[in-house]
Structure formats: structure tokens, C-alpha cells
């Protein structure tokens, strides 16, 4: 219930501003941030392993898995501090396969695939942890932090 209480005012704000294009975050051009998910030897990584965001700005997180294994991007504190506009999945040629709207708690990306996660941060936080929760991956180094100003 806590999550819904946080998101409803944001959703209402986004919907009510539809007539004012400049303030309509649901249509704002997002800033693109590419996060590579991969492995090198026995290490796994997010690259970069730290990103900086600002509340009220629209972002497109491009989760690019360059590995032969699937990976996840998640963090329970992180997802409480953002509003998800949508998630887009495209085929290797870039054609849209699916667009998913609604709250998202984690994104799993298949081997050599990419997923675009459209978000608007709504709460600030310093070094919010994110990780891949597949067993053994965090331990191998697949984690990072997000600061929201
Ligand atoms: Cu992983």
C-alpha cells in the first residue's frame, strides 16, 4: 500500500498536466542512459556502476545485456523512488515487440538483448543500491548505485 500511496499523486499529476505540453512528463523527451550488463572472466558487472538522476526529469534506461547469460536490474529502494512510464522491448533490428505500462519492480534481460525502461525519479536518495539478483551474480560484482538529486 505504501507504494500505491506514493505513486497515485504522481500519476494524477502526469494525467492532469496533459493539456500543458511543457509540464507533461508522460510525453517528455527522455535523457538516455545506457547500462551495459556483462561478464569478463569470472567477474560480472554493470557499466557504469553508478548513475546520477534528477527528480522530475524523464529518463530512458537502456539495459543492454552483452553476455551469453540473462541478467536482472533491480533494487527495492530504487523502484520506490521512481515512476515507471513504460518498458519497451524491441527485436534485434529495433522493431518494437512489446510496450509494458504500469509499476515495475525488476527488469530481466535475455542474453544479448536490450530493454528500454522509461522512468521519472520522484524521490531523492544517495547511493541507492541496485543489483542483479540471479544467484551468484551480485557476489561476482554485478551491482551498482544510483543517486537521485
Ligand atoms: Cu546477472
Amino acid at each position: 500500500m505504501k507504494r500505491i500511496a506514493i505513486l497515485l499523486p504522481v500519476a494524477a499529476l502526469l494525467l492532469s498536466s496533459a493539456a500543458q505540453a511543457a509540464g507533461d512528463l508522460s510525453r517528455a523527451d527522455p535523457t538516455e542512459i545506457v547500462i551495459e550488463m556483462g561478464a569478463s572472466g569470472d567477474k560480472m558487472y554493470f557499466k557504469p556502476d553508478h548513475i546520477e538522476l534528477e527528480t522530475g526529469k524523464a529518463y530512458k534506461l537502456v539495459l543492454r545485456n552483452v553476455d551469453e547469460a540473462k541478467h536482472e536490474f533491480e533494487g527495492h529502494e530504487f523502484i520506490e523512488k521512481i515512476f515507471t512510464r513504460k518498458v519497451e522491448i524491441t527485436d534485434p533490428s529495433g522493431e518494437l515487440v512489446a510496450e509494458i505500462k504500469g509499476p515495475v519492480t525488476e527488469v530481466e534481460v535475455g542474453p544479448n538483448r536490450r530493454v528500454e525502461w522509461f522512468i521519472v525519479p520522484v524521490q531523492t536518495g544517495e547511493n541507492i543500491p541496485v543489483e542483479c539478483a540471479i544467484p551468484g551474480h551480485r557476489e561476482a560484482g554485478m551491482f551498482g548505485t544510483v543517486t537521485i538529486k
Side-chain angles (χ1 to χ4, degrees):
M1 285 312 288
K2 185 178 162 219
R3 181 169 166 71
I4 290 169
I6 292 166
L7 293 180
L8 282 179
V10 175
L13 181 73
L14 293 176
L15 292 172
S16 69
S17 65
Q20 305 159 9
D24 183 359
L25 293 174
S26 68
R27 288 160 203 229
D29 267 345
T31 299
E32 182 175 302
I33 296 178
V34 179
I35 300 173
E36 187 178 300
M37 316 162 96
S40 171
D42 57 358
K43 296 283 179 208
M44 292 180 177
Y45 63 85
F46 288 148
K47 191 165 79 186
D49 63 0
H50 178 80
I51 60 172
E52 306 245 336
L53 309 174
E54 284 178 46
T55 55
K57 282 196 171 180
Y59 294 92
K60 175 167 83 174
L61 298 184
V62 179
L63 303 176
R64 194 164 152 257
N65 184 356
V66 297
D67 196 14
E68 301 302 320
K70 67 182 182 182
H71 291 293
E72 297 174 358
F73 189 90
E74 64 176 278
H76 66 271
E77 189 186 343
F78 175 66
I79 59 111
E80 284 187 356
K81 291 181 181 294
I82 63 167
F83 170 75
T84 294
R85 297 166 65 195
K86 61 181 176 177
V87 173
E88 279 189 9
I89 299 155
T90 53
D91 70 15
S93 72
E95 288 293 310
L96 185 69
V97 173
E99 188 174 280
I100 298 148
K101 291 177 171 141
V104 169
T105 55
E106 68 173 70
V107 175
E108 187 172 291
V109 187
N112 297 304
R113 292 288 186 257
R114 60 182 263 162
V115 171
E116 297 177 349
W117 189 1
F118 293 75
I119 65 165
V120 177
V122 293
Q123 283 182 3
T124 59
E126 284 281 322
N127 296 317
I128 304 157
V130 291
E131 64 176 28
C132 175
I134 294 173
H137 289 204
R138 189 192 195 293
E139 293 75 9
M142 192 167 254
F143 59 89
T145 52
V146 180
T147 289
I148 302 173
K149 301 206 176 218

